[in-house]
């Protein structure tokens, strides 16, 4: 029912908390569908993950810039949010809360996306279980590799 790349994104977003991997997965997905559309909802999901990646690293300027861009995309495509198994009203509230937290330079905290489709929740839970991570886990801030992945991965 849901695109596998999207389910994988959600499993990383809510399970491994590997926001860099979220970006990699959906960037590939976006480029297959609408590579020239920088206003795609796929880009909004990517920017949301990268915003959290920056916030977790203490880069509030980058995090704020990206959460604002993500919000614009989700507002532009508000009619599509529920097609992604998410509560539209809760998703927009979550984005507002994130922007406020980043503006106030609050420390990163793991968040959950408002999945309302039980079938999607089950697909994400199964993927998390397969990877041996908890659905809606808390980010392990001591995992240096996940926190600084863009600098530490081997393909740089």
């Amino acid at each position: 029912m849901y695109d596998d790349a999207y389910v994988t994104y959600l499993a990383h977003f809510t399970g491994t908390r590997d926001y860099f991997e979220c970006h990699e997965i959906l960037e590939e997905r976006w480029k297959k569908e609408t590579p020239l559309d920088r206003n795609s909802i796929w880009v909004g999901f990517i920017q949301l993950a990268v915003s959290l990646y920056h916030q977790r690293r203490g880069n509030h300027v980058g995090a704020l810039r990206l959460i604002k861009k993500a919000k614009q995309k989700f507002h532009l495509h508000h009619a599509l949010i529920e097609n992604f198994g998410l509560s539209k009203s809760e998703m927009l509230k979550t984005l507002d809360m994130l922007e406020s937290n980043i503006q106030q330079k609050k420390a990163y905290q793991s968040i959950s996306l408002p999945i309302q489709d039980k079938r999607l929740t089950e697909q994400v839970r199964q993927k998390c279980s397969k990877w041996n991570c908890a659905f809606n886990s808390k980010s392990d801030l001591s995992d240096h590799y996940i926190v600084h992945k863009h600098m530490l991965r081997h393909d740089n």
Side-chain angles (χ1 to χ4, degrees), residues 45-60:
F45 281 109
I46 292 166
Q47 290 171 331
L48 170 60
V50 176
S51 175
L52 288 169
Y53 181 80
H54 284 306
Q55 184 192 21
R56 184 168 56 190
R57 296 184 69 247
N59 177 1
H60 296 286

Side-chain angles (χ1 to χ4, degrees), residues 36-103:
L36 300 177
D37 182 3
R38 294 215 173 267
N39 286 317
S40 166
I41 194 166
W42 294 114
V43 176
F45 281 109
I46 292 166
Q47 290 171 331
L48 170 60
V50 176
S51 175
L52 288 169
Y53 181 80
H54 284 306
Q55 184 192 21
R56 184 168 56 190
R57 296 184 69 247
N59 177 1
H60 296 286
V61 172
L64 185 59
R65 183 173 48 82
L66 284 162
I67 196 63
K68 286 181 177 186
K69 288 181 177 187
K71 278 182 64 175
Q72 288 173 343
K73 308 264 183 325
F74 283 105
H75 281 282
L76 179 66
H77 297 290
H78 66 90
L80 296 177
I81 293 172
E82 292 188 352
N83 294 347
F84 285 83
L86 304 174
S87 164
K88 177 172 54 175
S89 63
E90 290 302 313
M91 183 66 176
L92 297 176
K93 281 188 217 174
T94 297
L95 294 168
D96 287 341
M97 180 263 312
L98 283 172
E99 182 180 22
S100 176
N101 288 350
I102 294 167
Q103 282 175 330

Side-chain angles (χ1 to χ4, degrees), residues 3 28-37 40-42:
D3 185 276
E28 187 175 311
R29 172 65 180 84
W30 161 59
K31 286 181 177 180
K32 283 182 185 175
E33 185 176 319
T34 55
L36 300 177
D37 182 3
S40 166
I41 194 166
W42 294 114

Side-chain angles (χ1 to χ4, degrees), residues 9-20:
Y9 168 93
L10 290 174
H12 279 299
F13 196 99
T14 63
T16 67
R17 300 295 177 176
D18 188 340
Y19 302 120
F20 189 87

